[in-house]
Amino acid sequence: MALTQDELLAEFESMTLIQLSEFVKAFEEKFDVTAAAAVAVAAPGAPGAPVEAEEEKDEFDVILTGAGDKKIQVIKVVRELTSLGLKEAKDLVDGAPKPVLEKVAKDAAEKAAESLKGAGASVEVK
């Protein structure tokens, strides 16, 4: 019995972030693909987009570029912002530069960046 796209999306909505992350890893291993490659492939098309699209941007990414001296404080802030577990948040901080939040509103991105900077991290908002 095949599930429709809407049924699959409903299932994904009911999953926790950790369950969804584990699913993505299993999917990548099973089909020998990576989710990051899809994002990287989409990026080169951006130069052909009109300059106006940049001005109208309403979704921003908060990228952790470095943990700084207070790594534990940064991990705590990452956990608050993302609801990740301790290990996942530590791995994200250790693996910097990594996105902490993706496709969020401008005020949410700025607030998250300020929280991370207050904890001693270096952050970019794109």
Side-chain angles (χ1 to χ4, degrees):
M1 178 167 125
L3 296 174
T4 66
Q5 185 176 6
D6 291 334
E7 291 171 333
L8 282 172
L9 289 173
E11 282 298 315
F12 292 140
E13 285 178 342
S14 69
M15 298 173 85
T16 65
L17 288 176
I18 294 173
Q19 291 171 327
L20 194 54
S21 173
E22 290 170 353
F23 169 78
V24 170
K25 287 177 188 173
F27 186 90
E28 289 173 343
E29 290 173 10
K30 172 88 175 170
F31 296 103
D32 195 27
V33 294
T34 59
V39 173
V41 170
V51 176
E52 295 173 27
E54 285 295 319
E55 295 172 10
E56 298 174 12
K57 188 172 182 179
D58 61 353
E59 293 180 338
F60 296 86
D61 296 341
V62 179
I63 300 170
L64 177 71
T65 56
D69 295 335
K70 299 178 182 176
K71 185 172 158 183
I72 293 173
Q73 296 297 352
V74 174
I75 292 170
K76 287 180 181 179
V77 172
V78 168
R79 288 188 68 201
E80 290 172 9
L81 293 172
T82 62
S83 71
L84 289 175
L86 180 60
K87 182 181 181 341
E88 291 83 4
K90 181 183 180 304
D91 291 345
L92 188 145
V93 171
D94 288 341
K98 292 249 180 157
V100 176
L101 296 174
E102 294 179 317
K103 297 182 180 171
V104 295
K106 184 176 183 176
D107 7 336
E110 289 174 352
K111 186 177 177 183
E114 288 302 316
S115 298
L116 287 164
K117 287 177 185 176
S122 54
V123 180
E124 287 182 11
V125 177
K126 292 186 178 182

